Amino acid sequence: GLFVTDYFTRTPRKLSPFRSFASIELFHFHIPEDTVIAVWNLITFKEQGGTFGDQCPDRSITVYFRSGAPSVINPLHTHFPRDTAVPGSFALTLTWTLPNRTTGVFNVTSPLPGDWFLAAHLPKDEGKISVKGLYEECQYLFQPQLIVQRLVNIAVLYPGYVTEQSMAPHNRSCLYKVFVPSYTSRVLVEVLRCRGAEGCPLWLRVRAKAPPLHNSTALDCREHAPCQLALDLPFWQHWYYVLVEKHPGVPGTVFFQVTVQLTDCSRTSLARPPFLPSSASMNMPHSFGSVGRLALGDSPSPASPNGTKHPVPIPTASPAGERCWPVRPTLRNELDTFSVHFYIFFGPNVSVPPDRPAVFVINLLPVLDSGGVLNLELRLNVSSLRGENVTVFGCLNHEVPLTSGDNASVTCETDSLAGFLLSVNATASLSRLRIPYPQTGSWYLSLRSLCATEHGFEPCTNVTAEVYLRAYLSPCINDCGIYGQCKLLRTNNYLYAACECKAGWNGWGCTDNAEAFSYGFQLLSTLLLCLSNVMFVPPVAIAVRSHYLLEAAVYIFTMFFSTFYHACDQPGIVVFCIMEYDVLQFCDFLGSLMSVWVTVIAMARLQPVVKQASAGRGHVLYLLGAMLLSMALQMDRHGLWNLLGPSLFALGIMAVAWTARTIRRRHCYPPTWKRWAFYLCPGALIAAAAVLLYAFVETEENYFYIHSIWHLLIAGSVGFLLPPRAKPSGRLGPLPRRKGCGYQLCVNEQEELGLVDPAVASINSICTS
């Protein structure tokens, strides 16, 4: 056949260490129909500071593949919530082959058409809290590329018609496809009039949705006469592919005919007439609760389509009792994103008769509904059993309802069909099922009532069970509980939801408490972070005593908002918020930076003409610092230069002021060794230790006590670094002013010397004109 190659790529994205599904990177691809091979080229490279990260460590990268919906992954091996079905996926781990780049390849032969999802992440890290901008972090970028090769102009088989084919010696196989509509209970593929050099040296393979593989349903025509391959319970509204393959080493040309018969379950013991519209094309459900078959009226035989031979009637007897039951539709009510309720007409109570199943269909929209959780709940009305030992079984299957001739069967699986089983009885009257990231399309729920006897389950007699049925789509499982937050995530144009857990809880629904924090631990961490701010009381007292009233107001502001910010920032249930979280965080950050700013400016002891405005005596630098810090925090609240910038600027002002005094006085400032030994050096060491703990030691595990120590050290350093203010022993009278032009400048020698105690030196006012 003719092959066409298509190429798809995605933008590189930065990978993150795995904490929850919210930290993975998701990529969405679409594979067209008739694809025979799909090749993913997985490119990974390192970056550090805008250049190749040759020095970055090699960290393994895990990639997950799944068709139809995102993968439900569990790399930390946590427990899933109860009644949760975990769909399977394929995982691949990439290893590094070059210092800064690696490439992996993942091939899929005859992949299922439609949506494919790739999820990638780094291993879980140690949870270190790093200061943004302190150093260049290593970034691991991942870019998937997809190359597909598909067949065009595949021959289409028409049910009830015979297609003649000759396979030349240089040909190995012939590929066909046939469309299977809804309400089809059986597909029969047959090879007729096969003749070749060695009888009928052919293999017959059939597969749904994609071309057959080596492990697909197959039949050797040399060992079976007639060569017929039957498939029960085929998928509705899908293409089935038929591969006729020649045995290796067979010489000559092989001639054969291929025909397909579809059995319509609404017309028992009859094959579907050629080109007669199926019940699915009518979109007409049966009357609710009544036993009936779709009445297909007689119609004239259509003309032969192009490319096929004349129709050959092939009578096919269907298995006894094989018929389809009415499918009751559900009403879709969308409340919000991934919040959809499916209502049953004349429900939600459903009557399950003893002699037939009750079948319902739930339609999930393509792409849109695969990012949530499909929830199903069955509740049995015990009073409707009338004392009988009745069990109601429910089978949830994708794309085709499970119908079985054996009324006593309680399984929801066949050779080609897998489903989910639910059961309710008088003892366990409630059953739930949750399917995270369900595949889109039609889901069919078949309810049957069976009575338990000594010999197993048997059909009941004259007992109609009543079941409350609830089906809905939700973003997360139980809204992630009290220890999690359900987040709505987006990758390009695809939306999906995932839980982000806190307080040590893990799992898909934040229900795994293996590493959870106890209530006592949560209370202890909250009290430590909040009460450690009481250390700001001594600096406030020192500032008030030294007449630094503005500085004292800033310290009180910082103490107040830091206390209530940490009370609101706790991950557990010991949380108390007096304002919105964002307001508390902004005020806490602003107060911390302003405390550093006003302390250093106070240490500079600027002259009043610089520090204060002559008219309103307002602190110009204090006001300017508050405005600039507010602007910086609004731009980037966690940036390194929000702390370093104002601190270095204030330290620069202090250094200039101290240097000017040192040059003018020709003596080191502050001049006393006691000030350096007992105040400046200890305060500087305490502040440096606090910064080192904050920048290099703090992790998520030790955050509550390391950050509490940070509060204690910062507040303690302020008490040491805040300079004293000299107070004269007596009030000096006004000095006589000389006549003439000029200014008078009065210099307080004690303030100039920076002494600790006013009694150390006498007060002398030297006035010069």
Side-chain angles (χ1 to χ4, degrees):
L2 177 62
F3 291 93
V4 175
T5 302
D6 295 329
Y7 175 80
F8 309 93
T9 185
R10 295 294 180 265
T11 305
R13 294 189 205 155
K14 175 186 174 183
L15 298 182
S16 302
F18 183 83
R19 297 167 54 91
S20 65
F21 198 86
S23 60
I24 64 99
E25 290 296 329
L26 191 65
F27 300 87
H28 178 205
F29 290 91
H30 184 82
I31 292 184
E33 291 183 344
D34 306 335
T35 298
V36 295
I37 188 170
V39 179
W40 272 281
N41 189 28
L42 310 175
I43 303 174
T44 309
F45 50 93
K46 308 173 186 176
E47 281 188 1
Q48 186 177 21
T51 60
F52 288 109
D54 296 338
Q55 305 302 323
C56 294
D58 294 343
R59 306 186 65 183
S60 60
I61 296 173
T62 308
V63 187
Y64 300 84
F65 299 82
R66 188 187 174 202
S67 171
S71 301
V72 181
I73 65 176
N74 187 23
L76 303 182
H77 306 289
T78 57
H79 296 290
F80 281 87
R82 292 184 56 186
D83 307 320
T84 301
V86 183
S89 60
F90 186 84
L92 177 68
T93 301
L94 301 180
T95 56
W96 295 91
T97 56
L98 296 175
N100 54 24
R101 183 184 176 93
T102 186
T103 303
V105 178
F106 180 69
N107 299 337
V108 180
T109 304
S110 297
L112 297 178
D115 300 306
W116 279 73
F117 294 87
L118 274 66
H121 65 82
L122 295 173
K124 183 182 179 181
D125 58 5
E126 64 277 6
K128 185 179 182 304
I129 302 177
S130 58
V131 180
K132 183 179 179 180
L134 185 61
Y135 56 89
E136 296 291 345
E137 296 183 358
C138 290
Q139 296 184 358
Y140 299 83
L141 302 179
F142 178 74
Q143 180 183 20
Q145 299 173 346
L146 173 62
I147 303 174
V148 298
Q149 195 175 51
R150 57 187 177 88
L151 276 168
V152 295
N153 298 329
I154 297 180
V156 177
L157 297 178
Y158 296 92
Y161 285 82
V162 174
T163 300
E164 293 186 357
Q165 185 72 47
S166 62
M167 193 178 303
H170 61 276
N171 288 339
R172 288 291 310 276
S173 62
C174 294
L175 184 64
Y176 311 90
K177 64 180 181 179
V178 58
F179 186 76
V180 176
S182 297
Y183 298 98
T184 301
S185 61
R186 196 164 186 253
V187 176
L188 178 67
V189 183
E190 185 174 8
V191 176
L192 305 172
R193 299 180 182 179
C194 176
R195 60 187 185 277
E198 301 177 2
C200 187
L202 297 178
W203 278 96
L204 179 62
R205 303 181 188 273
V206 181
R207 184 190 178 197
K209 304 179 185 179
L213 298 169
H214 65 280
N215 58 351
S216 301
T217 305
L219 184 69
D220 190 353
C221 293
R222 289 190 300 187
E223 300 177 358
H224 297 82
C227 187
Q228 294 180 344
L229 186 59
L231 300 176
D232 295 325
L233 296 177
F235 296 111
W236 293 353
Q237 297 291 325
H238 283 288
W239 288 99
Y240 267 72
Y241 290 80
V242 178
L243 179 66
V244 180
E245 192 175 12
K246 186 167 56 174
H247 282 272
V250 175
T253 303
V254 179
F255 300 91
F256 60 93
Q257 294 178 345
V258 179
T259 184
V260 176
Q261 292 292 327
L262 304 181
T263 302
D264 192 335
C265 62
S266 63
R267 297 167 60 90
T268 56
S269 302
L270 291 178
R272 184 186 300 275
F275 299 104
L276 194 60
S278 67
S279 56
S281 62
M282 297 180 181
N283 290 325
M284 293 291 291
H286 296 285
S287 58
F288 304 130
S290 63
V291 182
R293 308 178 183 91
L294 290 182
L296 301 179
D298 298 332
S299 60
S301 178
S304 301
N306 296 329
T308 60
K309 299 298 181 180
H310 57 279
V312 177
I314 302 177
T316 305
S318 61
E322 181 180 311
R323 54 183 176 177
C324 56
W325 304 103
V327 177
R328 294 176 59 175
T330 55
L331 178 64
R332 178 186 178 94
N333 184 17
E334 297 187 9
L335 304 178
D336 202 347
T337 304
F338 299 132
S339 182
V340 182
H341 284 226
F342 300 96
Y343 295 102
I344 302 173
F345 291 100
F346 308 110
N349 294 323
V350 177
S351 297
V352 184
D355 56 342
R356 65 182 183 274
V359 185
F360 305 88
V361 59
I362 300 172
N363 292 313
L364 300 185
L365 298 181
V367 180
L368 297 178
D369 293 341
S370 62
V373 179
L374 179 61
N375 301 269
L376 198 65
E377 180 179 322
L378 291 179
R379 189 187 301 271
L380 178 64
N381 185 2
V382 181
S383 61
S384 65
L385 304 183
R386 294 184 297 181
E388 296 289 338
N389 190 8
V390 178
T391 301
V392 177
F393 293 95
C395 285
L396 184 66
N397 297 88
H398 189 227
E399 296 178 336
V400 60
L402 181 63
T403 57
S404 175
D406 183 10
N407 291 329
S409 176
V410 295
T411 181
C412 294
E413 298 182 0
T414 62
D415 295 338
S416 59
L417 188 65
F420 304 97
L421 177 65
L422 299 91
S423 63
V424 287
N425 51 33
T427 305
S429 60
L430 178 63
S431 179
R432 291 189 179 95
L433 175 65
R434 302 183 181 97
I435 305 177
Y437 296 160
Q439 291 179 311
T440 56
S442 298
W443 287 84
Y444 294 90
L445 176 64
S446 303
L447 299 178
R448 290 176 295 169
S449 61
L450 299 175
C451 290
T453 62
E454 297 178 355
H455 306 287
F457 288 99
E458 295 180 357
C460 299
T461 57
N462 299 327
V463 177
T464 300
E466 186 176 288
V467 178
Y468 171 81
L469 174 61
R470 184 186 180 202
Y472 62 97
L473 195 68
S474 63
C476 300
I477 298 178
N478 290 338
D479 202 22
C480 302
I482 61 175
Y483 290 103
Q485 181 182 6
C486 186
K487 287 193 171 183
L488 185 62
L489 307 172
R490 176 182 175 183
T491 170
N492 292 334
N493 60 346
Y494 180 75
L495 291 176
Y496 60 102
C499 288
E500 192 171 69
C501 306
K502 54 187 179 181
W505 290 73
N506 294 305
W508 196 260
C510 300
T511 55
D512 190 337
N513 60 352
E515 301 177 0
F517 301 158
S518 64
Y519 179 81
F521 182 85
Q522 297 178 39
L523 182 62
L524 175 63
S525 62
T526 303
L527 292 177
L528 280 176
L529 289 170
C530 294
L531 297 181
S532 60
N533 289 285
V534 180
M535 190 64 184
F536 273 97
V537 172
V540 170
I542 295 174
V544 172
R545 185 187 176 197
S546 301
H547 290 182
Y548 289 106
L549 299 182
L550 189 146
E551 286 80 357
V554 173
Y555 300 153
I556 294 174
F557 179 90
T558 303
M559 179 177 62
F560 177 84
F561 280 102
S562 179
T563 299
F564 287 100
Y565 165 66
H566 286 291
C568 185
D569 188 47
Q570 295 308 300
I573 59 176
V574 186
V575 179
F576 178 71
C577 299
I578 62 173
M579 299 180 186
E580 291 186 3
Y581 176 83
D582 189 68
V583 176
L584 292 173
Q585 186 186 65
F586 178 84
C587 294
D588 173 60
F589 286 20
L590 179 62
S592 302
L593 297 180
M594 280 299 299
S595 298
V596 177
W597 176 266
V598 299
T599 303
V600 178
I601 294 299
M603 294 173 61
R605 288 186 178 276
L606 300 177
Q607 293 295 335
V609 70
V610 178
K611 182 179 177 182
Q612 297 176 352
S614 58
R617 299 182 60 84
H619 298 272
V620 176
L621 285 179
Y622 290 166
L623 182 60
L624 180 63
M627 292 187 294
L628 292 178
L629 289 175
S630 299
M631 179 194 68
L633 289 176
Q634 188 65 26
M635 294 174 59
D636 188 1
R637 197 165 295 182
H638 300 276
L640 174 65
W641 287 102
N642 289 344
L643 177 62
L644 287 183
S647 301
L648 294 178
F649 184 66
L651 288 174
I653 294 176
M654 184 188 71
V656 170
W658 284 11
T659 302
R661 286 191 177 90
T662 300
I663 294 175
R664 186 174 60 207
R665 299 183 63 254
R666 296 183 180 180
H667 194 280
C668 182
Y669 182 86
T672 59
W673 65 271
K674 293 183 180 180
R675 182 68 184 166
W676 286 98
F678 297 110
Y679 294 92
L680 295 181
C681 289
L685 291 177
I686 294 175
V691 172
L692 291 178
L693 283 178
Y694 179 79
F696 300 104
V697 181
E698 199 171 77
T699 62
E700 294 180 357
E701 293 183 356
N702 62 20
Y703 172 80
F704 75 98
Y705 58 85
I706 291 296
H707 201 76
S708 300
I709 297 175
W710 151 267
H711 288 165
L712 298 176
L713 294 179
I714 286 296
S717 66
V718 170
F720 280 94
L721 295 177
L722 194 65
R725 173 165 293 185
K727 294 186 293 183
S729 57
R731 190 172 185 86
L732 299 177
L735 296 176
R737 182 175 180 182
R738 295 176 55 186
K739 295 180 180 181
C741 300
Y743 296 93
Q744 263 190 346
L745 179 62
C746 297
V747 180
N748 190 317
E749 285 188 353
Q750 182 185 355
E751 183 181 356
E752 188 71 18
L753 293 176
L755 300 177
V756 178
D757 193 352
V760 175
S762 60
I763 306 300
N764 294 321
S765 295
I766 304 173
C767 299
T768 60
S769 61

